[in-house]
Amino acid sequence: MTYTVEKIGGTSMTAFDAVLDNIMLRPAPEDRYNRVFVVSAYGGMTDALLECKKTGKPGVYQLIAKRDEGWQAALDLVQQRMLLVNETIFADSMNRLRADKFIQSRIAEAKNCISNIFETCQYGQFTLRHYLPQVREFLSSIGEAHSAYNTALKLKNVGLNARFVDLSGWNDEKTQLLDDNIRDAFADIDVSKELPIVTGYASCKKGLMSTYDRGYSEITFSRIASITNADVAIIHKEYHLSSADPRMVGVEKVLPIGQTNYDVADQLASLGMEAIHPNAAAGLRESGIELQIKNTFEPGHKGTVISGSYQPSANKIEIIAGKEKVFALHLFDQAIVGKVDNVSYELMEIIADERVDLIGKEMNANSITYYLGGNTESLNKVLYKAEKKHPSAEIKGRMVALISVIGSQIDTNKALAQGVRSLMNADITPLALHSSMRNVNVQFVVSDNEYQGAICALHDEFFDADSKTDSKSKVA
């Protein structure tokens, strides 16, 4: 039988009945094993525990980092939300009581641990900053432990031999390497007779959050697939990997990609539109494992298969992807001719220190532009430090949007010309254009307020209207 390792995203987990019917119980009873499920926290839980990924709104962790006494009340609110989730999942009072006790115990232990840290840091030899990475790690783990425990308990209720596999290291006396943690956890599991439900967060010496930030669950998923020799890796999302964001151009217009390669997946990751975290993709690619992206709400659709060997026909545009609210940091100084590399190194140090995302870069003889992602506070610090470091330079910052036309093998010159024409016809003037020798993507920089219009114009240009209308595959 085919052995699969499958990951379920947070938004899908929130629609748990659909996950149960469309994924867990969809195969015939004899085919429900030989699968491993790695689950994310329910939608919004990790945001509440850390900070909102999109808006930066502080969660429990950020309040702790700022020594805000409201962190305990915020953690209590997270617990209330988790108990409400339990109420919707478990109709049986005994099973709900078990689920409630599990998460109440975790949160009580977390609250006690954090309180002890604050008490310790009252002494001069100890600083809160030293403990914050570990606090962020174990707060992250709570959301995945909650969803994984509930899923295993629910599956046992319906007759499956499910096992809750907690990789969080919550009660472990020592940490170990990620791969060793996974190997130990799976050493006595027979996937032909058991259905492992695994936490998306995994404990490891370097810290999964510290290393990969919010992409950690995909790293766990990828390493399990590689270490246990999966035949196929599957990610279940609330949407198809499609020709564009259906929320931008309309559900009726987009098409599932169907098939592509890891090169395209990497381009999407650079824009924050992660089909899969690039480090996770690298592990699957090196292990020769195909990745399938499926729509939770269309279980009969095969979705999109990503492989290392896929070679498409030439000049096939596969997706229009973009990122809005990108900070363009532009430095111009005629005195840096011949010294651009030195200036670039200094700016990169500033960018790294503030832990903002480097999305793109362009340079010529006397100017450099960096395209950055991050919260407003960190981006303003980058601008301030750059101005202080180079007081004689003309330095500007503005919000823009980056949009890429991507395909496994495209004619970049033709795509660039078509793209410019379509944008100009829509009364959108690009601020910058980028093309590369890799023949995978071309990129257009536009004003931030023109983002959606540019996405729609490019999608209309590169995807034939008739083929969209005739397609029977619609995005849920």
Side-chain angles (χ1 to χ4, degrees), residues 79-374:
Q79 177 173 288
Q80 290 177 27
R81 288 178 62 178
M82 290 179 166
L83 295 178
L84 284 173
V85 170
N86 293 357
E87 184 178 357
T88 64
I89 291 175
F90 298 102
D92 178 71
S93 59
M94 289 303 295
N95 284 313
R96 181 184 166 191
L97 182 62
R98 291 177 64 186
D100 287 353
K101 283 186 174 180
F102 173 81
I103 197 59
Q104 287 169 332
S105 174
R106 284 281 164 116
I107 289 182
E109 290 174 15
K111 190 178 292 186
N112 184 55
C113 177
I114 296 166
S115 297
N116 288 340
I117 289 173
F118 273 116
E119 187 174 341
T120 300
C121 291
Q122 291 178 355
Y123 299 92
Q125 293 88 345
F126 302 94
T127 61
L128 179 62
R129 181 172 54 86
H130 175 76
Y131 293 101
L132 285 177
Q134 290 87 353
V135 170
R136 188 170 176 83
E137 294 286 334
F138 82 75
L139 281 175
S140 305
S141 73
I142 295 173
E144 273 81 15
H146 177 224
S147 60
Y149 182 88
N150 282 2
T151 303
L153 182 58
K154 185 71 174 181
L155 290 174
K156 288 177 183 177
N157 294 343
V158 297
L160 282 173
N161 186 23
R163 182 198 283 208
F164 169 51
V165 181
D166 187 1
L167 294 180
S168 70
W170 192 262
N171 294 313
D172 293 349
E173 294 183 0
K174 62 178 182 178
T175 57
Q176 53 186 339
L177 297 175
L178 176 60
D179 286 5
D180 291 339
N181 187 7
I182 292 170
R183 288 190 184 96
D184 286 352
F186 279 83
D188 64 342
I189 296 177
D190 182 353
V191 294
S192 68
K193 298 177 181 178
E194 290 182 283
L195 192 62
I197 309 298
V198 190
T199 56
Y201 175 85
S203 171
C204 65
K205 281 187 175 180
K206 293 183 178 180
L208 212 59
M209 273 292 304
S210 300
T211 309
Y212 302 106
D213 201 53
R214 298 289 283 270
Y216 60 82
S217 63
E218 292 180 355
I219 300 297
T220 304
F221 156 76
S222 172
R223 293 313 304 154
I224 291 173
S226 297
I227 291 168
T228 63
N229 300 313
D231 297 310
V232 180
I234 302 173
I235 295 180
H236 299 276
K237 292 179 174 284
E238 74 275 18
Y239 49 79
H240 284 294
L241 185 59
S242 304
S243 54
D245 187 338
R247 294 165 295 187
M248 289 283 175
V249 304
V251 171
E252 72 285 353
K253 291 185 175 183
V254 297
L255 292 170
I257 292 177
Q259 194 166 9
T260 189
N261 60 29
Y262 283 111
D263 205 348
V264 168
D266 289 343
Q267 307 310 314
L268 296 176
S270 72
L271 292 168
M273 250 190 84
E274 294 183 1
I276 183 171
H277 190 284
N279 294 89
L284 296 177
R285 183 175 63 245
E286 291 164 5
S287 300
I289 299 172
E290 287 188 341
L291 172 65
Q292 191 173 13
I293 309 291
K294 297 196 67 176
N295 185 332
T296 301
F297 306 101
E298 283 194 47
H301 196 294
K302 69 176 184 179
T304 295
V305 176
I306 302 174
S307 67
S309 59
Y310 174 65
Q311 293 294 331
S313 57
N315 203 32
K316 181 185 177 184
I317 305 300
E318 298 174 17
I319 186 170
I320 311 298
K323 186 176 182 67
E324 59 184 330
K325 293 180 173 52
V326 175
F327 186 71
L329 176 70
H330 179 75
L331 180 148
F332 168 75
D333 188 350
Q334 289 187 320
I336 67 171
V337 176
K339 306 173 185 177
V340 175
D341 286 343
N342 292 338
V343 175
S344 176
Y345 177 79
E346 292 168 351
L347 291 176
M348 282 301 301
E349 282 191 320
I350 294 172
I351 290 167
D353 287 345
E354 292 304 324
R355 299 178 67 85
V356 297
D357 299 324
L358 176 61
I359 302 168
K361 172 185 174 183
E362 62 184 47
M363 59 191 291
N364 60 27
N366 51 23
S367 70
I368 308 172
T369 303
Y370 290 94
Y371 297 99
L372 308 173

Side-chain angles (χ1 to χ4, degrees), residues 48-86:
L49 286 163
L50 303 178
E51 66 279 318
C52 181
K53 192 174 182 180
K54 292 183 179 179
T55 67
K57 179 182 177 182
V60 176
Y61 169 78
Q62 292 295 340
L63 295 175
I64 292 169
K66 295 175 182 178
R67 296 180 178 270
D68 189 320
E69 294 181 358
W71 71 266
Q72 294 196 53
L75 191 54
D76 288 338
L77 285 175
V78 173
Q79 177 173 288
Q80 290 177 27
R81 288 178 62 178
M82 290 179 166
L83 295 178
L84 284 173
V85 170
N86 293 357

